[in-house]
Amino acid sequence: MTTPPFPENLEQPAYPQDLEQPGLVRTGRSTFVRPIRPEDADRLVAFVGGLSRATLAYRSLGPVIRARDDVIRRGAYVDYLNELALVALAGDEIAGLVRYVRDTEDPDHAEVTFTIRDDDQSEGFGRLLLEHIAAAARARGIRVLKADVLADNTRMISVFLGSGYRVESGPPGQIVHFDIAVDPQAQAVARAERREHTAVRRSLRPLLEPRSVAVIGANRRPLTIGHELVANLLRGGFRGSVFPVNPRAEQVAGARAYPSVRELPEPPDLALIAVRAEAVPEVVRECAAAGVKAVVVVSTGFGETGAAGRTTELELSRFARASGMRLVGPNCMGVVNTTPAARLAATFSPALPTPGRVAMSSQSGPLGLAVLDLARRLRLGFSGFVSVGHAVDVSTNDLLQWWEEDPETSVILLHVETFGNPRRFARIARRVAPRKPIIAVHPGHAGHAQTTGQVDSGVRGGPDRRGNPAGHADPSGPSDSAVSSLFAQSGVIRTRSLQELFDAALLLAHQPPPPGNRVAVITNAGGPAALTVGACAASGLSVPPLGERTREKLRAALGPGAEAANPADLTPMATAAHYRQALDAVLADDGIDAAIVLFMPPLADKPDEVAAAILDAAEAAPAKPVVASFLGGAGVADLLHRGELVVPTYAFPESAAASLGHAAAYQAWRSTPAGVVPDLPGVDTDRARSLLAGCAPGPVSPRLAAELLDSYGIAVRDTGPGSGSGSLPSSGLGSGPGSGLDAFLSVGADPVFGPVVAFGLTGDYADLMADVAHRVTPLSDRDAREMVRSLRAAPLLDGRVGGPGVDLAALEETVLRISAMVEDLPEIEAMELRPIRLLPPGDGVAVTRATIRLADETRKGGLS
């Protein structure tokens, strides 16, 4: 391994040999701790490249995107005084890294960060490195190490709290700030500073954790919306004040009523509005004048009635924001927060959820009613439920950020048609999903706008929602594969029905995601087992042969004549003891990641005994999920609950397999190293912005399109008048082998995902085979690589079929440049490069025509 030169702007410092020390971690494993050196640059790149998304999320406290290699390499160069990094080595590899950077304004304080390799996170490297960095910091005049840690990063928090140093921490929140006094004799008290909550979280607190609630439009008559809002607040155990507002009533649901918001004894944090649509604007103005901080407009009669209603609700949103209020709705069913800090049932739903670990945002009010009723029947507990209605202000993006920080929420469910600001959704989801599963129901057709539209009336835009080029639009909606790939890139589990949504939620709320996709099936009936094997295959799971040791255990438990296979058929004579022995055996098998238990209750046995055996086995193997299907059993869901331990049970085995498939795919995404969003050479953003200054919405000229692309290092060949308005004469290309392939790249504004890049080969590949890849911006290098290679026609590109292939590196770089351009210039609503001539390796790509359309400012995404 060669040692790279030390950066020219830094003087090579003296290496502190005294900091090299052997060490033992908690498990007794030995390691070697030493300062980082310039020759560790390659090791550092390999170390960071192997970190999972989950680890990067905890480390970065933000978007899960790995830094560029050159930035990572820079981390190997420190001055050993104001910046120091220590590595713990496992063999020749870095197992853990700790780094401090001295505070220039407070030199006796330093910011410290820890990163431990995924496979070594339970061995005690963090505590060992803290001891070493604390001693080195003391010797260099540093008295306090400062650290910010995500609240659910329990391993790192326990390292600090159990370190023996004097530690002060900020109040609980998404991010906990620690001050660690590394000098035991220090007289100064380490001060704890908490990172300020985001503006979104501050603004949502009066909505989701109010101290008082007014119900405007409260009604004395039971079973009316205005009455049930008050009754549910009281029945739900809300600890604050409830103020019914009705000028003609003295009491509503037993609570004293008031004639107007102005006459309330105190300004309420939250107001629920259930009056006629035409009265809502005046009520909202009264709320603002009274100092209300958030309003929920339950009333209907706005955007769903036409353009005038839409205008009214947008004016409501603007007024509320200008008055310092947040607004939910209109046309919604309210807000529920079951956490101990709130106990808020601000809804008219007759079914209130039980407390649990699942939060949900629903855009449909009637659907929300059905959801809460179904959740109670499934015994699926909720931490929060918000019906956002038309979402003119508070959106699912806002709620994602609230639940991201909520310690009572571990799974997030979404039912939405659009987001307040689709550009933000993928970013927020990619930050949240590595720590908390996000499950969305999206059928993929009705109501979903075209991925890219026509750039102008005479030019085809990118592929439509089913992968067909614009101009061949299919009105039935986007292809399932395109929608699924966009959700998957963001780490969101996509389901196609509410039942599938809840099936997946049941598993992820109560069981860990499986470490892999290998499933064991335990059954007492052969027919359902065969169906389960097929369902597993359809869900991306495998049912592999069991290990020899596992088969021996099964034969010992079931008798020498038993068929010790996978599926393991215990026969109808199986007892609860047989189920326990079989489950213990397969869950101990290193080649098995999860188990599906099928039980067809025979007359001679009791389902409760089998359920108890399943719970015992699941409790003994907590790292591997267990799900069940008791065919024909009644009340089985109740049997498979024991305190906090729940084994999800499904009416049919196909649902069990589908839920496990979703969980396994999520875990695979979560464990995959993230890519890099690179800084590309030759990008002149200032020039591009100056070119767009003063441009009107709509299509831009071919020459301006070429200049904009040139600002991002993409050349459009020959844009003169004789070239066909920006197209390249075909005589200049196509002379070499592998140069006969043309492709397109397009970008369009999707209402759910924001800017979406589409790539495919022109002609029959896209028109007939719908062979088009889609990704959400910003694209990482990994996204671009996977996108280009995901086409069914990829063998033509990489040379496996039909010649030497094309210049894949140049193609991927072009994809990344388009992504950067769209991210930097939100004015671009749609863009297409067509055709792109794909040249042999080393020759690059040739863009022959480019079209760009600018968005109308009034049609851009909202604030949320």
Side-chain angles (χ1 to χ4, degrees):
M1 182 182 302
T2 59
T3 301
F6 206 81
E8 293 179 358
N9 60 332
L10 294 177
E11 182 181 353
Q12 177 76 53
Y15 178 78
Q17 192 80 30
D18 60 299
L19 296 183
E20 290 190 349
Q21 296 179 32
L24 289 173
V25 295
R26 177 179 52 80
T27 59
R29 177 179 171 188
S30 38
T31 184
F32 191 76
V33 179
R34 63 165 173 79
I36 202 164
R37 300 191 291 244
E39 55 265 34
D40 291 323
D42 289 339
R43 287 191 186 90
L44 194 57
V45 169
F47 171 67
V48 175
L51 300 176
S52 69
R53 283 188 171 95
T55 294
L56 284 174
Y58 285 123
R59 170 62 184 84
S60 64
L61 310 181
V64 186
I65 297 296
R66 184 172 71 85
R68 302 190 323 266
D69 284 359
D70 61 324
V71 175
I72 296 171
R73 288 174 183 277
R74 172 62 185 80
Y77 299 88
V78 297
D79 63 11
Y80 303 119
L81 177 64
N82 297 312
E83 182 179 7
L84 174 65
L86 304 178
V87 294
L89 299 178
D92 196 44
E93 299 175 344
I94 298 174
L97 170 73
V98 61
R99 183 188 304 272
Y100 79 62
V101 178
R102 193 188 298 266
D103 189 332
T104 56
E105 296 182 358
D106 195 357
D108 62 352
H109 287 59
E111 192 79 23
V112 66
T113 57
F114 294 76
T115 311
I116 310 299
R117 195 169 58 179
D118 286 66
D119 292 341
D120 301 304
Q121 289 178 1
S122 61
E123 298 211 28
F125 280 93
R127 188 159 297 176
L128 176 69
L129 287 172
L130 176 57
E131 294 173 5
H132 285 259
I133 200 72
R138 282 199 303 270
R140 287 156 177 76
I142 293 171
R143 295 186 297 122
V144 178
L145 293 175
K146 305 181 295 181
D148 287 331
V149 183
L150 287 170
D152 60 347
N153 189 356
T154 55
R155 284 177 172 164
M156 202 67 244
I157 290 173
S158 67
V159 165
F160 292 148
L161 296 180
S163 65
Y165 297 110
R166 181 156 47 85
V167 176
E168 288 195 10
S169 61
Q174 179 203 9
I175 298 175
V176 181
H177 180 86
F178 287 90
D179 278 352
I180 306 157
V182 298
D183 185 352
Q185 304 301 320
Q187 298 300 311
V189 176
R191 294 176 301 170
E193 294 180 0
R194 184 185 181 191
R195 186 183 295 268
E196 290 187 355
H197 282 182
T198 64
V200 168
R201 184 168 176 82
R202 288 198 305 267
S203 71
L204 292 183
R205 189 172 295 282
L207 170 70
L208 296 171
E209 293 181 355
R211 294 167 297 180
S212 54
V213 181
V215 179
I216 304 170
N219 198 308
R220 288 172 290 188
R221 194 155 43 91
L223 301 182
T224 59
I225 290 176
H227 183 277
E228 296 308 307
L229 285 169
V230 178
N232 278 344
L233 282 166
L234 299 174
R235 281 197 298 262
F238 180 63
R239 294 175 176 175
S241 301
V242 177
F243 303 126
V245 176
N246 184 328
R248 292 181 295 277
E250 294 184 359
Q251 284 191 343
V252 174
R256 178 188 172 184
Y258 297 84
S260 71
V261 179
R262 294 186 297 272
E263 298 179 57
L264 296 178
E266 64 182 69
D269 282 346
L270 172 64
L272 310 179
I273 300 175
V275 300
R276 299 186 316 276
E278 56 268 27
V280 168
E282 179 60 30
V283 170
V284 171
R285 283 192 286 271
E286 290 180 0
C287 288
V292 175
K293 298 180 178 66
V295 293
V296 175
V297 180
V298 176
S299 310
T300 61
F302 291 91
E304 74 275 15
T305 65
R310 179 64 178 165
T311 298
T312 300
E313 66 185 21
L314 290 176
E315 290 173 351
L316 282 176
S317 172
R318 295 190 186 102
F319 176 81
R321 279 295 184 101
S323 303
M325 296 189 300
R326 296 305 305 268
L327 185 149
V328 174
N331 192 12
C332 69
M333 56 171 286
V335 175
V336 175
N337 186 355
T338 70
T339 63
R343 296 187 179 180
L344 177 70
T347 177
F348 57 86
S349 171
L352 296 180
T354 57
R357 308 290 297 175
V358 176
M360 183 172 184
S361 168
S362 172
Q363 200 157 353
S364 167
L367 178 64
L369 294 172
V371 161
L372 293 181
D373 180 63
L374 177 61
R376 285 192 69 90
R377 289 189 280 114
L378 293 176
R379 296 191 59 171
L380 182 64
F382 276 75
S383 59
F385 181 91
V386 179
S387 169
V388 295
H390 293 171
V392 296
D393 178 26
V394 173
S395 71
T396 295
N397 288 343
D398 293 317
L399 297 170
L400 275 173
Q401 294 180 83
W402 176 271
W403 290 322
E404 174 187 12
E405 304 176 6
D406 181 15
E408 303 295 325
T409 298
S410 59
V411 179
I412 300 171
L413 309 184
L414 306 179
H415 173 266
V416 287
E417 298 170 4
T418 61
F419 293 84
N421 184 339
R423 279 182 173 267
R424 295 177 62 198
F425 169 62
R427 293 169 177 78
I428 296 170
R430 280 184 276 191
R431 187 181 72 232
V432 175
R435 295 186 294 117
K436 296 185 179 182
I438 302 172
I439 312 173
V441 58
H442 193 290
H445 291 286
H448 192 79
Q450 186 170 315
T451 298
T452 57
Q454 288 186 318
V455 177
D456 59 40
S457 58
V459 179
R460 292 185 301 173
D464 73 2
R465 294 172 291 175
R466 306 202 77 172
N468 300 313
H472 302 272
D474 185 335
S476 64
S479 69
D480 276 352
S481 61
V483 172
S484 293
S485 68
L486 296 175
F487 273 119
Q489 183 198 357
S490 302
V492 177
I493 300 169
R494 182 262 182 119
T495 63
R496 294 168 175 79
S497 68
L498 281 176
Q499 184 64 59
E500 191 180 359
L501 178 87
F502 278 100
D503 287 344
L506 274 172
L507 191 155
L508 288 166
H510 300 302
Q511 295 279 306
N517 70 339
R518 302 164 299 179
V519 178
V521 179
I522 308 295
T523 183
N524 66 346
L531 292 174
T532 305
V533 172
C536 285
S539 302
L541 303 170
S542 68
V543 183
L546 301 174
E548 180 56 36
R549 186 176 180 184
T550 305
R551 293 196 297 270
E552 290 175 359
K553 290 180 181 179
L554 287 175
R555 282 191 288 266
L558 306 175
E563 183 179 354
N566 192 10
D569 189 350
L570 309 184
T571 77
M573 302 304 295
T575 65
H578 290 138
Y579 269 92
R580 174 64 196 273
Q581 291 166 329
L583 261 177
D584 284 343
V586 299
L587 291 175
D589 191 326
D590 291 337
I592 295 297
D593 301 306
I596 299 176
V597 185
L598 310 178
F599 179 65
M600 179 72 74
L603 295 176
D605 208 353
K606 297 179 180 179
D608 57 342
E609 295 178 356
V610 175
I614 294 171
L615 286 169
D616 290 341
E619 188 172 31
K624 295 182 180 181
V626 177
V627 297
S629 178
F630 276 40
L631 293 91
V636 176
D638 293 335
L639 298 179
L640 288 167
H641 286 241
R642 181 190 294 159
E644 295 295 318
L645 176 62
V646 177
V647 171
T649 181
Y650 303 92
F652 300 104
E654 294 90 342
S655 299
S659 300
L660 265 181
H662 285 310
Y666 164 71
Q667 180 63 16
W669 175 88
R670 185 173 181 262
S671 303
T672 302
V676 179
V677 177
D679 286 335
L680 299 162
V683 171
D684 190 344
T685 306
D686 291 339
R687 177 193 172 199
R689 288 177 177 148
S690 66
L691 289 169
L692 287 176
C695 288
V700 305
S701 69
R703 188 168 296 280
L704 177 55
E707 289 186 51
L708 287 168
L709 287 162
D710 184 65
S711 299
Y712 279 80
I714 300 173
V716 180
R717 306 286 185 90
D718 192 356
T719 59
S723 64
S725 300
S727 61
L728 177 69
S730 59
S731 60
L733 296 170
S735 59
S739 59
L741 292 176
D742 285 349
F744 65 84
L745 270 171
S746 64
V747 180
D750 184 274
V752 172
F753 298 101
V756 174
V757 179
F759 167 72
L761 300 183
T762 58
D764 291 346
Y765 298 105
D767 293 352
L768 301 180
M769 299 170 59
D771 190 15
V772 179
H774 301 79
R775 292 294 186 274
V776 182
T777 64
L779 272 67
S780 68
D781 56 354
R782 187 184 187 93
D783 293 327
R785 185 168 56 252
E786 291 177 350
M787 183 180 192
V788 167
R789 288 164 171 77
S790 67
L791 297 182
R792 293 193 294 278
L796 296 173
L797 303 179
D798 61 21
R800 284 177 285 167
V801 174
V806 305
D807 194 335
L808 287 173
L811 177 57
E812 291 165 13
E813 183 177 322
T814 302
V815 171
L816 290 170
R817 290 181 182 278
I818 290 296
S819 172
M821 184 175 178
V822 173
E823 286 295 297
D824 292 342
L825 307 174
E827 302 92 330
I828 295 177
E829 180 179 57
M831 173 168 42
E832 183 180 52
L833 280 57
R834 177 193 291 265
I836 303 172
R837 183 59 55 87
L838 305 181
L839 303 177
D843 290 346
V845 298
V847 178
T848 65
R849 197 170 198 275
T851 50
I852 293 175
R853 185 178 66 220
L854 304 182
D856 187 332
E857 288 288 330
T858 63
R859 291 162 52 193
K860 288 186 181 179
L863 294 171
S864 300

